[in-house]
Amino acid sequence: MTAHATVSTADALRRFPELAELVAIRDAGWNFHLLRNEDGSLLGLAASYSQQQYTDAVFVFDRSRVVANRILADDYGGGMVWFKDGNDIQEVVRDLRALPPPGAPGAPSLVIRSSSLWKP
């Protein structure tokens, strides 16, 4: 059995400062889950935060591939109203966290429809 060393948050941020936004959302109460493929190998990390009206989610696949979205709850129209695919973890997470809540001025409200060419 392989022992895994524990790395403190401070040590992780010293080595990988781009993780600061992930630490911030963890501290704000977001839920984190590891994403694994069929053979159990790690694909990435998912983080989500749900409110009555919406769920915000971030998917980190590596240091240069991160995707985020906001999805409205069915009772509030349903569907994805914001999406960003980028290569800067901090930028993508900050942009998502800067979104106003649904119904507030400047909040995204148009549902983004997927096309038959869209692949998750």
Side-chain angles (χ1 to χ4, degrees):
M1 191 172 197
T2 304
H4 295 283
T6 301
V7 176
S8 72
T9 299
D11 287 341
L13 291 175
R14 266 192 295 282
R15 290 189 64 199
F16 306 103
E18 66 271 19
L19 297 178
E21 288 298 320
L22 295 179
V23 170
I25 62 175
R26 179 201 66 189
D27 293 346
W30 286 51
N31 296 304
F32 282 77
H33 307 280
L34 297 178
L35 301 174
R36 298 187 179 278
N37 66 15
E38 297 81 28
D39 69 7
S41 60
L42 186 64
L43 289 174
L45 176 73
S48 63
Y49 183 76
S50 295
Q51 294 290 311
Q52 182 177 354
Q53 294 178 316
Y54 64 95
T55 296
D56 286 344
V58 175
F59 304 89
V60 179
F61 298 100
D62 62 37
R63 293 174 81 175
S64 62
R65 178 75 199 283
V66 60
V67 176
N69 62 25
R70 172 170 284 173
I71 298 176
L72 294 181
D74 289 341
D75 291 346
Y76 296 90
M80 182 171 54
V81 293
W82 187 87
F83 175 84
K84 184 164 187 168
D85 184 345
N87 60 9
D88 183 319
I89 294 170
Q90 293 187 77
E91 175 187 313
V92 172
V93 174
R94 280 185 194 137
D95 288 354
L96 176 60
R97 294 186 76 201
L99 294 176
S109 61
L110 295 176
V111 173
I112 301 167
R113 302 283 178 209
S114 63
S115 74
S116 59
L117 299 176
W118 183 73
K119 302 282 188 220

